Amino acid sequence: MDGIDQFSTSGAYVHAGEEFTRDTNYIEDRITRDGVPGAKGEPGWRVEPDRYRLVVARACPWAHRATIVRRLLGLEDVISLGICGPTHDVRSWTFDLDEGGKDPVLGIERLQQAYFTRFPDYPRGITVPAIVDVPSGAVVTNNFPQITLDFSTEWTDFHRAGAPDLYPEALRDEIDTVNKRVFTEVNNGVYRCGFAGSQAAYDAAYERLFTALDWLSERLAVQRYLVGDSITEADIRLFTTLVRFDAVYHGHFKCNRAKLTEMPVLWAYARDLFQTPGFGDTVNFGQIKQHYYIVHTDLNPTQIVPDGPDESGWSTAHHREGLGGRPFGAGTAPSRPATEG
């Protein structure tokens, strides 16, 4: 989820002398079991099968979370998926991967069109993930932290049999606490390094990032998952940054104290998740690299996309089973093949 000003979809630029600050003003409408009225006075966005389309980009870590949660919970048959290409211009993410360059359900070339349908003068970045109301063609929300929580708590009537509880009520306070630190120091921390506008801003961001990664390594050295003994929302939020770390953040964002592969606990933890259905089968390293290295021309003016790193290590043994726990708790793994996302 990138967005700072009305002219930007990536929202991440180097501003000389400044620390990178992420815009966290989202369209805060929610889709709920009972239907919460919308910001423009709509009668309410109610959970309904086949009404909404989740628009993502495989490249984007914030959208990747929603793709994983949708798959783990088995919501593929009730919430359709639109996939933007890995690159975009200053106006919008585009559907250039689809035939004719148009989303086959929404019939639009740019995600911007769904935003403007609802907010003709929408002043902020056109961001993914976004949920679009298919009948009206209007964006409902781009509030990425809330989207996945609502998938877990408001869409339960449509979860697959055996769907895991990714946000168990008894653990929510701890999950929220962990998520807050992971977001500020890791998920957003890599961006603060990459788009620091001064040496001092970069040095401070670098120190905060690796202090948090050290903390996570210590925590995960004695437990298989971040909170409790099965996968939760917290693991999903951390994974989407870790899986991009060596491919993008280590070099492109100068997060180079160590590669993920040189941090033994986090590397084993990330491989454990990658090899779990719903995680690695939603990763597209090619599109991840294309996005960052082509779009961020202030960091990479040549737009050359690196060939490495070698991806074969992701399938090697992780030996995390010895820490106990069950990936899906009392639930089961998704059995349907990952045919999209």
Side-chain angles (χ1 to χ4, degrees), residues 163-210:
D165 188 351
L166 301 175
Y167 196 48
E169 193 165 358
L171 297 177
R172 287 180 188 177
D173 287 346
E174 186 177 0
I175 291 172
D176 292 346
T177 298
V178 170
N179 282 348
K180 182 177 181 180
R181 186 170 184 183
V182 167
F183 171 75
T184 59
E185 307 303 294
V186 181
N187 300 146
N188 197 45
V190 293
Y191 283 82
R192 280 205 313 272
C193 289
F195 293 96
S198 70
Q199 187 69 49
Y202 167 75
D203 290 345
Y206 179 97
E207 179 66 25
R208 288 175 60 179
L209 169 64
F210 282 99

Side-chain angles (χ1 to χ4, degrees), residues 108-174:
I108 58 177
E109 297 175 348
R110 294 175 174 272
L111 181 57
Q112 183 185 58
Q113 293 167 260
Y115 278 73
F116 286 179
T117 294
R118 186 161 178 230
F119 301 104
D121 299 315
Y122 188 72
R124 316 199 76 85
I126 306 300
T127 63
V128 291
I131 296 183
V132 178
D133 177 49
V134 174
S136 67
V139 67
V140 175
T141 182
N142 63 347
N143 189 354
F144 73 91
Q146 192 62 51
I147 286 172
T148 51
L149 296 181
D150 284 343
F151 281 175
S152 286
T153 60
E154 299 294 328
W155 288 81
T156 53
D157 289 346
F158 298 98
H159 289 181
R160 64 177 176 86
D165 188 351
L166 301 175
Y167 196 48
E169 193 165 358
L171 297 177
R172 287 180 188 177
D173 287 346
E174 186 177 0

Side-chain angles (χ1 to χ4, degrees), residues 140-305:
V140 175
T141 182
N142 63 347
N143 189 354
F144 73 91
Q146 192 62 51
I147 286 172
T148 51
L149 296 181
D150 284 343
F151 281 175
S152 286
T153 60
E154 299 294 328
W155 288 81
T156 53
D157 289 346
F158 298 98
H159 289 181
R160 64 177 176 86
D165 188 351
L166 301 175
Y167 196 48
E169 193 165 358
L171 297 177
R172 287 180 188 177
D173 287 346
E174 186 177 0
I175 291 172
D176 292 346
T177 298
V178 170
N179 282 348
K180 182 177 181 180
R181 186 170 184 183
V182 167
F183 171 75
T184 59
E185 307 303 294
V186 181
N187 300 146
N188 197 45
V190 293
Y191 283 82
R192 280 205 313 272
C193 289
F195 293 96
S198 70
Q199 187 69 49
Y202 167 75
D203 290 345
Y206 179 97
E207 179 66 25
R208 288 175 60 179
L209 169 64
F210 282 99
T211 296
L213 291 175
D214 288 343
W215 166 71
L216 288 164
S217 291
E218 292 174 7
R219 185 182 184 97
L220 289 165
V222 294
Q223 60 191 63
R224 189 172 179 185
Y225 304 109
L226 277 175
V227 182
D229 61 0
S230 61
I231 291 165
T232 67
E233 177 83 15
D235 299 292
I236 295 164
R237 294 189 183 196
L238 178 57
F239 173 78
T240 60
T241 294
L242 294 183
V243 79
R244 288 162 173 78
F245 200 89
D246 286 4
V248 176
Y249 303 141
H250 177 271
H252 187 57
F253 280 2
K254 307 180 185 72
C255 302
N256 61 357
R257 191 189 78 178
K259 297 176 182 177
L260 177 66
T261 55
E262 297 166 343
M263 294 182 271
V265 172
L266 292 179
W267 175 224
Y269 166 79
R271 298 200 315 277
D272 187 4
L273 291 177
F274 185 89
Q275 294 168 32
T276 300
F279 286 84
D281 53 23
T282 62
V283 174
N284 187 307
F285 284 113
Q287 291 192 26
I288 287 169
K289 291 190 294 185
Q290 287 170 359
H291 171 72
Y292 285 92
Y293 287 101
I294 292 174
V295 170
H296 296 157
T297 54
D298 46 351
L299 299 184
N300 187 40
T302 64
Q303 297 182 298
I304 294 172
V305 179

Side-chain angles (χ1 to χ4, degrees), residues 30-32 34-38 41-48 51-52:
R30 294 176 59 197
I31 301 168
T32 63
D34 299 323
V36 176
E42 296 93 346
W45 306 112
R46 188 181 301 275
V47 167
E48 296 178 30
R51 176 177 175 180
Y52 303 102

Side-chain angles (χ1 to χ4, degrees), residues 53 81-83 95 97-99 101-108:
R53 189 157 178 82
L81 188 70
I83 303 174
F95 295 98
L97 299 177
D98 291 306
E99 185 176 354
K102 288 187 177 182
D103 179 87
V105 172
L106 300 173
I108 58 177

